[in-house]
């Protein structure tokens, strides 16, 4: 797996340069930022995944910060509007489906918590508390390093041990799960496809 290394006023970090494109919610991209001193990273890899993080890492992080700030504002307004509307209907005695509103509010609360956590991580990593500070923050890209991951008993592991973030995403994020297993088995699938084509080749020759 490729990671882009970068430095901010708060220190040196590494961001997953492949799976950031394969998560279902924007705040989960912030979870894919690691402390390289705690990970087993290598300068080279035998069969590396491609770097899909096309833009400059500074631009990527600033855009992510801005998106999470806007989403946080929208989520707060949506929850307040939903609760206010529900309370008005209850006051007027209009049947609204209590259980349905509870489920909807819990879902909104979960999304708001996840977004707030992702935003808090970015603020800590960038050493900035507002968009103005983030816009002027120095973010220096330092190249690419690689990390080997595998699945063992339903958990994502590396040479540094169990990875709680990737294990959590594997269980709850269907887009990440599909991309992860596609990447994990890409060599096996490619070999099977080549084998099938090789077996079909003599028949094709005879048919022509």
């Amino acid at each position: 797996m490729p990671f882009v290394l970068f430095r901010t006023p708060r220190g040196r970090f590494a961001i997953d340069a492949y799976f950031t494109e394969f998560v279902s919610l924007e705040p989960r991209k912030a979870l894919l930022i690691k402390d390289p001193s705690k990970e087993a990273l290598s300068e080279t890899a035998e069969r590396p995944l491609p770097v899909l993080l096309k833009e400059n890492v500074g631009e990527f992080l600033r855009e992510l910060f801005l998106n999470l700030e806007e989403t946080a504002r929208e989520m707060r307004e949506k929850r307040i509007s939903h609760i206010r509307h529900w309370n008005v209907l209850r006051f007027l005695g209009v049947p609204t489906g209590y259980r349905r509103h509870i489920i909807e509010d819990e879902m909104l609360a979960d999304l708001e918590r996840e977004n707030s956590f992702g935003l808090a991580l970015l603020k800590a990593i960038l050493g900035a508390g507002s968009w103005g500070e983030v816009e002027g923050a120095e973010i220096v890209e330092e190249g690419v390093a690689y990390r080997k991951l595998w699945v063992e008993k339903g958990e994502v592991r590396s040479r540094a041990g169990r990875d709680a973030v990737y294990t959590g995403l594997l269980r709850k994020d269907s887009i990440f799960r599909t991309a992860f297993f596609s990447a994990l088995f890409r060599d096996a699938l490619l070999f099977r496809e080549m084998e099938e084509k090789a077996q079909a080749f003599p028949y094709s020759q005879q048919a022509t």
Side-chain angles (χ1 to χ4, degrees):
M1 280 181 51
F3 277 77
V4 173
L5 299 167
F6 64 96
R7 188 177 294 277
T8 77
R10 286 295 178 90
R12 194 164 181 256
F13 301 93
I15 183 168
D16 182 326
Y18 184 83
F19 288 112
T20 45
E21 297 297 312
F22 299 109
V23 289
S24 58
L25 296 174
E26 283 281 291
R28 292 176 183 173
K29 294 180 179 181
L31 300 178
L32 300 179
I33 300 174
K34 301 284 187 180
D35 179 349
S37 67
K38 298 179 180 178
E39 306 296 338
L41 298 177
S42 304
E43 292 184 1
T44 59
E46 187 177 343
R47 292 187 301 274
L49 291 169
V51 174
L52 298 184
L53 197 64
K54 300 300 183 185
E55 58 193 322
N56 174 274
V57 70
E59 294 175 4
F60 174 85
L61 294 173
R62 290 186 182 95
E63 182 180 350
L64 180 59
F65 185 95
L66 188 59
N67 289 342
L68 296 189
E69 266 205 334
E70 291 177 351
T71 301
R73 188 161 48 250
E74 290 171 2
M75 292 298 300
R76 282 194 299 270
E77 292 173 357
K78 191 171 184 178
R79 282 195 74 196
I80 291 170
S81 175
H82 172 254
I83 293 171
R84 183 185 295 120
H85 180 66
W86 179 25
N87 284 335
V88 168
L89 292 177
R90 288 175 63 196
F91 178 77
L92 295 174
V94 178
T96 60
Y98 177 80
R99 181 60 183 163
R100 177 174 61 84
H101 283 286
I102 289 295
I103 291 172
E104 184 177 348
D105 187 61
E106 288 177 348
M107 182 186 69
L108 290 173
D110 286 342
L111 291 173
E112 189 175 19
R113 277 193 295 270
E114 196 159 359
N115 194 83
S116 296
F117 184 64
L119 187 57
L121 280 176
L122 277 183
K123 287 179 178 180
I125 289 164
L126 300 176
S130 67
W131 168 244
E133 293 176 346
V134 169
E135 196 174 20
E138 185 179 16
I139 305 170
V140 181
E141 196 169 306
E142 295 186 338
V144 178
Y146 298 91
R147 181 184 183 217
K148 185 175 182 179
L149 294 179
W150 64 89
V151 176
E152 186 177 317
K153 296 180 180 179
E155 295 183 339
V156 180
R157 304 187 70 84
S158 71
R159 288 193 293 271
R162 176 180 180 272
D163 191 299
V165 169
Y166 285 82
T167 298
L169 289 174
L170 195 66
R171 292 171 179 171
K172 68 182 179 182
D173 193 314
S174 60
I175 294 176
F176 175 85
R177 185 163 56 248
T178 299
F180 188 89
F181 282 114
S182 295
L184 188 65
F185 295 118
R186 72 193 191 283
D187 293 328
L189 292 173
L190 179 61
F191 178 80
R192 191 180 308 138
E193 182 181 348
M194 291 171 64
E195 188 177 42
E196 288 172 356
K197 287 183 177 179
Q199 290 173 350
F201 181 75
Y203 175 80
S204 299
Q205 290 290 83
Q206 288 178 359
T208 55

